[in-house]
Amino acid sequence: MLFGDRLRKMREDAGMTRVELGNLIGVSDRVLGYYESNDRFPKKPETLQKISEVFHVSVDSLIGQDGAFIQSAGDQYGYTGARQAKDVLQDVQVLFAGGELPEEDRDEFFRLVAEMYFDAKHKNKKYSRLK
């Protein structure tokens, strides 16, 4: 589940409107709508902190791993990087949530992604030592 989906569910479970939550965290209902539709991610850490306080959850559980990944991509590569990271995560979630790919192919896909990750991590460590 992406950050925006998680946020919308918590708001609805609490019986709040977007206007009410927006007033509590200091954003407009329009911006909150962007968050909930996964079109934007809060730029300010203070906004995430306010949301976590309203719903009595940690920021880590609020953004989850997917949100942290998208935020990191946005910090490093800007809006386009964040959008691409979000799109990749959604595609992979669909794939693993019962897409048409057979289980053995899903396992192979996951193995290849993990292999690419560790290769890139190794190259980045090697590169950073050369600097």
Side-chain angles (χ1 to χ4, degrees), residues 10-29:
M10 287 188 296
R11 178 184 60 77
E12 289 173 350
D13 288 351
M16 288 184 189
T17 66
R18 284 185 183 161
V19 171
E20 290 170 330
L21 179 57
N23 288 336
L24 289 172
I25 64 172
V27 301
S28 69
D29 62 315

